[in-house]
Structures are given as C-alpha cells and as structure tokens.
Amino acid sequence: MVPSLLFEVMLIGLLGIGSQWLAWRYRMPAIVVMAVTGLLVGPIFGLINPEEDFGDLYNPIISVAVAIILFEGSLNLSFKELRGLGKPVFRISTVGAFIAWILGSLTAHYIAGLSWAVSFVIGGLFIVTGPTVIMPLLRQSKLRPRPAKILKWEGIIVDPIGALLAVFAFEIISFLTSSNPDGSKLLMFFAASIFAAIFGWLCGRGIGWMFETGHIPEFLKSPAVIVVVIFCFTGADEIMHETGLLSVTAMGITLANMGISSVQEMRHFKENITILLISAIFIMLTASLKIDTILHIFSPNIIGYVLLMMFAVRPLSIFLSTIGTGLTTNEKLLVGWIAPRGIVALTVSSYFATVLLAEGYEDASILTTLTFGLVIFTVIAHGFSIGWLAKKLNLSMEGKPGSLIVGSNKFTVELAKSLSKLDVPTIIVDNNWERLKIARESGVPFYYENMLSEQTEYNLDTIPYEYLIAATDSNSYNGLVCTTFMPEYGRMNVFKVSPYNKDEKNAMEIVSKVGGRVLFKKDVTLKDLIEKIDSGFVFRQTTITEQYTYKQYLQEKDEETVFLYLIKPSGQIKYYSEEMRTVPGVGDTIISLMPPNKEKKKIQARLYN
C-alpha cells in the first residue's frame, strides 16, 4: 500500500499521463495501456485500491469527472455543423442507435443474465463509440472519406446520447417491472428531466452571456466554465438523481450553438482537463477492480455477450439502418464491424453501477466488469483489424502521402501546385479569405478556417495528409500549429518555414526552441521564398539515375537553388531540412526552386541544338 492518500493522488496522475505518453510514443491504443497499468498497480500487485482508499469521496469524484467529460463531448454538437451530413450519418445516429440499444439490451438480458432494468441501461451506454477512440483508428487506417466521415460523426453525435438514453431507460424499465408501479414517480422524473434540461440551458445561456458582455475576464473563463458545469450537474442531481447528466449535456449543446468565440478559444484547456480526468479516472476504475471481477470477464456468458455485440448487434444495426442510403456493401461491412467502446463508456457505466446498486439491483455489480470486457476486446480487435479490413474491402486511401499546408501565399500555392502535378494529395488551410484568393484562382484545394479551431478538427478530413507544413507570415503561429499537431502527425512529419531573422541576435534560439522542424534552410525565410517566386524562380523536377548521379546534380545546380522535397519511387515524400539528413538515391525525383536564368539557359540550349 502507498504511504498516504496524497501520494496515491500523485501516483494516479503520474500513471495516467505516463500511460497516455507511452501509448503515443509506441502508437498503441491508450485505453489498453491504461488498463494494464491500472490492473498492475491495483488488483495484481495491490499497491492501491482507490475505491477503498478514497472512501466517501470516490463516487463524487467519478460523478464530477463524468459530468465534465459529457459536457466536453456535447460542446461538439453544433447544429450548424450537423447540416448536410447526409442520410447515412443521420440514420445510423438515430435509427441505428435505437436498433443497437434494443438488440444490445436483449443480448444483455438473455445472454449475460442481467435484469431488464440493468440490461436496458447497459444497452443504452453501449451505443456509444466516441471520438476519443475512433479518431486515432481513422488516421491509422487511412479510410476513404465517406466511411471515415460516417464513423467520426457517429462517435461525436451518439457520445452524449448514450448516457441520456441509459438514464431514461432506467426510470422507464424500473416503472414497468415494479410490482407496485407508481405513475406519480415516473411523472416526477420526467418533470425533473424537463427542469434539468431548462436548468442546463439557463446555465449555458448565462455563462455565454457573461462571456459575450465581458463580465468574466479572459483568465477566469475556463475555470468559470468548469465550476458552472459542476454547479449545473449538482443542482439538477440534488433535485432528482441521474438528471444531472441531462443538465450538463443541455448546457454544452447550448454553448456550442451560441457561436461564442471564447468557447472555441478554450479548446486546449478542455482537451487538457478532459485528458487528465480520463487518465486519472480510468486508472482509478481499473485499480479498484478485484481479481474475481477480472476473472469473471472470461466467463462464458460475458464472452458470449461480447461476441454477439461485436458480430451480431453492431452489424445488424448498421445494415438495417442504412437501407436505402446509398452505402455500398463493403462500406456497410466496415462500418458494421468498427465500433470500439472507449473510456466514456467505462466511466459512465461505473457511475450507473453505483446508482443501480443503491436502488437494489444486485446484478449491477458486474456492470463494470462487462463494460471493461467489451472495451478491451473491441479496442484490440478493431484497432488491429481496421487497416487490414479497409484494404481488403478497397476502402483504404492508397497512394502517396499527402501534405497539409497552413497559410496561403504565392510560395505555398506554387508548392501545392507542384505536389498536385505529382498526384500528391494537397490542401491549403487559411482563415483569411483574401489570402486564399491566390489558392482559389490557381485551382488548389483549400479550406477556409483557423487551423487551431475545433471546427477544423471535426470538419476537415485530415486523414489523407501525413505531413503538415506551417507557412504563415506569423512565426509564433507557425510554432503553435507545429506544437499542437506534433503528437498527431509525429515529430518527423511536422515542418515550419524558417523564423530566422538576420536582424535578431537570438534568431537561432528561436529556430531551435519552437516546435516543428525548419523547412529547407534556416537562412531561407518565407519572405525570401516569396521574393524568389516574384523574381521568376521556377519549380523543377530532376530524377536521379545511374547515368545522372546526385553528385553530378549537386555540381551543376545553381548556388541560389533551394531543395524543397524529393519523392521516392514508392511514393514516399521527404522534405528537405537541415535538421534531417536527406540523401537521394537512384530513381528519386528531386523538386527544387531554381533561378530563371538556369532554366533559360537550358531552354536556349535545346533551341540551338
């Protein structure tokens, strides 16, 4: 056992964030790493048992964490962004979710042996997939846009719905299965639910109004939102249990649809606090499990339940709900297989396990075990099979890895055009419509939004792009973009134009300390590149062969030539950077920016020979 409760709090935080880092470093599902970590320090080695050690504080901590996680998820439900998502997404998120709830509940009752009330609660919870587990899988598999869009938006939309469905299912089934059904109690619940929704709406409108009118300073906005979320959850829950989740969901949806810029500016804070809570809560939940509970996962009824959920319930709900939507059989097969349950499902199920046990449903004791089994099996099975299955079904985006360029200007547009000529997927992102005029007139694909906004994260399909280039005229913004997306793209795939300034003594310190590798040369800035374009520099392709070696190419090139990138015969792109050693080989094609006089001489030589 640990020496003190304070030490245990420190250990939980360290293990949670450490597991997240380990998962990122070695490209593993974070939920699996956290599960193994929690089991090792909890039931296996007996170092901690948070449920016992925290005592009466354990359940309130879990409840508050679930409230904040659900609020963060509901902040993504902007009605404006949901328009035009298409029939498949709408049908899967409504009809498909309902079918999955009914089939999942029947499976829980007849296969897992749970009571009707517990079955319908868990059936509602297990319609949730969630963006926290879906998004990494989509990037890993490089799915085509349509199935990727369906899976992504299903996770975003259904995420907060599952918990609310579980709440209503619990109350209705409890009423229907009661030996002495009391209609007034059910009416009271619905009245309290209406109050909770209105209360959440008022909390959302109130904090939104204070943001818009400047009644809350910038440094207090994020803490104020967290406090109001807890107030909103607790206020509704004290009036009637289980309605707090509905209240915070209503608050999040209200804020998401008010169009407040401050809400978007809290993106990083929301992500940070949610990751911290998810990591800590997951360690606490798994560390509190008992050995008997873990072994129970491998009992025939739970194994049977998990297999039916994966191989029958999910595929059936997708195939039935997408009839007449235009999806191909291959797309239905893929979407019908991929449905990993994540941390939200486990944290919310733990919350409901406590509620159900308090109401006298003894079979709810295995709720966490059942959820844990489904989470682990689906994450591992879907995580390791999605890439293979996508290729087998011809739903994987094969071809050269694309490049996402942040910043529209003369140089980036010409760079994008050179990449497009080589069939490399390319897009330019900028939040200034005037700057995008160059890209629009050149026919280069573009996206009009701030790269750091949450709308971009959920609306822009970044799956085809393995490289990110920050090339705006703001060095600080370039550095922030690189730092933000480095965990997602990887340190080797994130670049920025050089912030080097001959007039600044500390220029090299800026170059080395701000995130992202410097493109091309440290002494060639974006301003220099644009000036070269204005002075007539051209993009030129040169293929290295056994007859025309790289050494010969270096001898003949002009001193002002800037090496940009090379493409290998396999289609792999390598951008030039002084921080990375790039040595072209036979068959590689080098793309460089060279002076016009060199090109003119070559043209003249061809004309006179």
Side-chain angles (χ1 to χ4, degrees), residues 479-525:
L480 183 58
V481 168
C482 290
T483 302
T484 302
F485 289 95
M486 198 176 290
E488 185 176 350
Y489 284 85
R491 183 174 295 275
M492 303 295 288
N493 295 346
V494 174
F495 300 90
K496 65 185 176 191
V497 291
S498 175
Y500 179 78
N501 190 328
K502 298 175 184 177
D503 299 326
E504 292 183 6
K505 295 180 180 178
N506 63 341
M508 297 314 293
E509 292 183 12
I510 296 174
V511 170
S512 61
K513 291 183 179 179
V514 180
R517 297 179 182 275
V518 175
L519 266 177
F520 318 136
K521 295 181 179 179
K522 291 181 179 179
D523 58 352
V524 178
T525 65

Side-chain angles (χ1 to χ4, degrees), residues 62 66 69-70 121 125 159 162-164 166 245 285 343-353 367:
I62 299 294
V66 169
I69 292 169
L70 281 180
V121 168
L125 287 178
D159 198 28
L164 301 183
L245 300 179
L285 290 173
I343 299 168
V344 172
L346 189 59
T347 51
V348 177
S349 73
S350 176
Y351 170 83
F352 275 105
L367 199 57

Side-chain angles (χ1 to χ4, degrees), residues 197-251:
I198 295 173
F199 184 56
W201 177 81
L202 288 172
C203 288
R205 295 293 300 183
I207 195 74
W209 175 80
M210 294 183 78
F211 281 2
E212 288 183 303
T213 54
H215 283 80
I216 298 179
E218 289 296 325
F219 75 95
L220 281 181
K221 284 184 176 179
S222 295
V225 167
I226 297 299
V227 170
V228 174
V229 168
I230 297 173
F231 166 73
C232 182
F233 172 79
T234 306
D237 211 60
E238 286 296 315
I239 293 174
M240 179 162 284
H241 289 303
E242 293 86 59
T243 59
L245 300 179
L246 173 61
S247 193
V248 293
T249 303
M251 177 182 168

Side-chain angles (χ1 to χ4, degrees), residues 27-219:
R27 295 181 177 274
M28 295 185 291
I31 196 168
V32 174
V33 180
M34 287 189 289
V36 172
T37 303
L39 293 175
L40 287 174
V41 298
I44 294 178
F45 293 113
L47 298 178
I48 60 173
N49 187 332
E51 187 172 11
E52 292 182 2
D53 299 338
F54 282 84
D56 293 338
L57 287 175
Y58 181 78
N59 288 331
I61 290 172
I62 299 294
S63 299
V64 168
V66 169
I68 294 173
I69 292 169
L70 281 180
F71 168 77
E72 195 273 338
S74 61
L75 266 181
N76 297 317
L77 283 178
S78 172
F79 298 134
K80 181 175 67 175
E81 296 171 14
L82 297 181
R83 294 176 193 147
L85 284 180
K87 192 184 291 184
V89 175
F90 176 77
R91 291 274 290 277
I92 290 173
S93 302
T94 52
V95 178
F98 179 77
I99 294 173
W101 174 46
I102 298 299
L103 293 178
S105 302
L106 293 174
T107 305
H109 178 70
Y110 289 109
I111 303 300
L114 300 177
S115 62
W116 282 114
V118 177
S119 296
F120 274 89
V121 168
I122 201 171
L125 287 178
F126 285 168
I127 69 170
V128 171
T129 55
T132 55
V133 285
I134 282 293
M135 295 303 285
L137 293 188
L138 296 183
R139 178 163 297 281
Q140 165 194 330
S141 61
K142 296 183 184 178
L143 285 183
R144 292 188 181 275
R146 187 156 71 168
K149 177 182 176 182
I150 290 171
L151 288 169
K152 179 179 77 171
W153 278 102
E154 180 199 7
I156 293 171
I157 296 170
V158 176
D159 198 28
I161 293 176
L164 301 183
L165 193 58
V167 171
F168 286 102
F170 168 64
E171 292 296 334
I172 294 171
I173 297 299
S174 296
F175 170 75
L176 294 176
T177 57
S178 175
S179 56
N180 295 309
D182 187 356
S184 62
K185 184 179 179 182
L186 189 62
L187 288 174
M188 280 294 294
F189 170 75
F190 280 108
S193 298
I194 294 171
F195 168 79
I198 295 173
F199 184 56
W201 177 81
L202 288 172
C203 288
R205 295 293 300 183
I207 195 74
W209 175 80
M210 294 183 78
F211 281 2
E212 288 183 303
T213 54
H215 283 80
I216 298 179
E218 289 296 325
F219 75 95

